[in-house]
Amino acid sequence: MTDAPLRRRRLAMPAMKAWHAVIAGGFLVAYLTGDSDDLYIMHQVAGYAVLGAVALRLAVAAVARKPPWRMPRVSLAAAREWLTTRRGRNPLFAWLAVALLGTVGAAAASGMASHWLPWVEDLHEALSTASLWVVLGHVAFILLMFGGRRRVAALWRRLAEGHSTRLKESS
């Protein structure tokens, strides 16, 4: 009897975190270097890294049977059920994953296409901007779902206390 399934399970989350790092880092570099002619090569390499990571994720998802690599299943029925019971995994995870893979993948693919088809550049820029908003929504959702509410509330209190302390000192 081998321990291969256990080893695969142990490697799944670190591999998913590494994949997230490639996507996040590549997207950030590509987004920040998008308007610079001096950094165009860096922009291209980052964009190709993102496109490759999205393609790899979709290829792995096509054959994967279990989370975290299986593609999330989006369902309106599951969303309605979760909204009424608030039990189980929030279906917004699946919706955001699909939105992220779709927008970030489309932005990366349109960037590659714009290298040969200059008329695609405006579409690439629009998809990149839309991707940024989806990414920020994803980050906000993750922060709120995993204890972020407490952290944001504590930060807000500290900011408010600091502001009221400065107001008292200036009076």
Side-chain angles (χ1 to χ4, degrees):
M1 180 157 207
T2 69
D3 60 341
L6 181 60
R7 195 176 21 236
R8 277 195 298 267
R9 250 184 309 192
R10 253 191 254 145
L11 291 175
M13 286 315 287
M16 182 61 86
K17 288 177 182 180
W19 179 83
H20 271 88
V22 170
I23 289 284
F27 182 83
L28 184 63
V29 168
Y31 195 84
L32 293 176
T33 59
D35 291 331
S36 174
D37 290 336
D38 295 337
L39 301 174
Y40 183 67
I41 294 297
M42 187 184 294
H43 177 77
Q44 275 189 309
V45 169
Y48 283 124
V50 169
L51 185 59
V54 169
L56 178 65
R57 173 69 173 94
L58 293 174
V60 169
V63 296
R65 293 187 180 143
K66 296 180 181 176
W69 293 104
R70 185 189 70 188
M71 271 307 277
R73 309 290 194 252
V74 294
S75 163
L76 285 174
R80 276 192 294 262
E81 181 181 335
W82 187 86
L83 285 170
T84 57
T85 64
R86 303 273 184 192
R87 291 180 187 254
R89 187 164 194 221
N90 189 328
L92 279 177
F93 281 109
W95 288 94
L96 272 172
V98 169
L100 277 166
L101 286 171
T103 57
V104 171
S110 65
M112 185 181 75
S114 71
H115 184 72
W116 293 284
L117 306 168
W119 54 269
V120 179
E121 285 182 26
D122 289 336
L123 174 64
H124 172 59
E125 189 172 332
L127 288 169
S128 298
T129 301
S131 294
L132 177 65
W133 288 106
V134 175
V135 166
L136 292 174
H138 174 68
V139 169
F141 179 72
I142 295 299
L143 286 175
L144 288 173
M145 290 304 296
F146 294 108
R149 283 178 258 180
R150 288 184 301 255
R151 289 187 187 114
V152 169
L155 177 63
W156 190 254
R157 273 194 306 277
R158 269 189 259 138
L159 289 173
E161 288 169 2
H163 181 69
S164 65
T165 305
R166 276 180 277 172
L167 284 177
K168 288 177 186 175
E169 291 172 358
S170 66
S171 303

